[in-house]
Amino acid sequence: SQAMTSPLISMLFLTLLLLFLALFPGAFNCCTKISDEIPKRILRRVERYEIQKADGLCHLEAVILYIEGRKFCVSPRIKKLKKWMKKNKHKIPRKKPHGRKHLRSKTLKKKENKQ
């Protein structure tokens, strides 16, 4: 009978864990410390980034950079980073894509290449 109860318990535990993760999405990936420096070579390798606001569960404003599956927490006040973020807005994972805006950014890129 012992063999029967353990899978059930692990299933229950897993369900609870998933529920907890769903209810508190920010609790496990908050940046608690941020760096005030970011080397350019690191910025070049960023695959995507997120902006962490100080409201809610995370009590710190930060920019989360994802590089090869690793997370880097940096200050949103770095000038170099601000410039980079303006250029790389497409690297923010968006929930709702806006068709018109997307087309406009593509045409802008073509113009930049011609110069």
Side-chain angles (χ1 to χ4, degrees), residues 21 24-32 50 52 58 64 66 71 73:
L21 285 169
F24 304 99
F28 293 93
N29 50 17
C30 280
C31 288
T32 49
E50 283 171 32
Q52 174 180 297
C58 306
I64 310 166
Y66 291 88
K71 266 171 54 176
C73 299

Side-chain angles (χ1 to χ4, degrees), residues 23-53:
L23 288 172
F24 304 99
F28 293 93
N29 50 17
C30 280
C31 288
T32 49
K33 289 187 184 129
I34 51 172
S35 169
D36 290 316
E37 261 306 307
I38 178 108
K40 265 202 177 128
R41 59 186 173 83
I42 284 181
L43 269 180
R44 274 190 225 120
R45 287 164 54 208
V46 173
E47 288 143 27
R48 63 186 177 93
Y49 71 92
E50 283 171 32
I51 294 157
Q52 174 180 297
K53 291 185 173 75

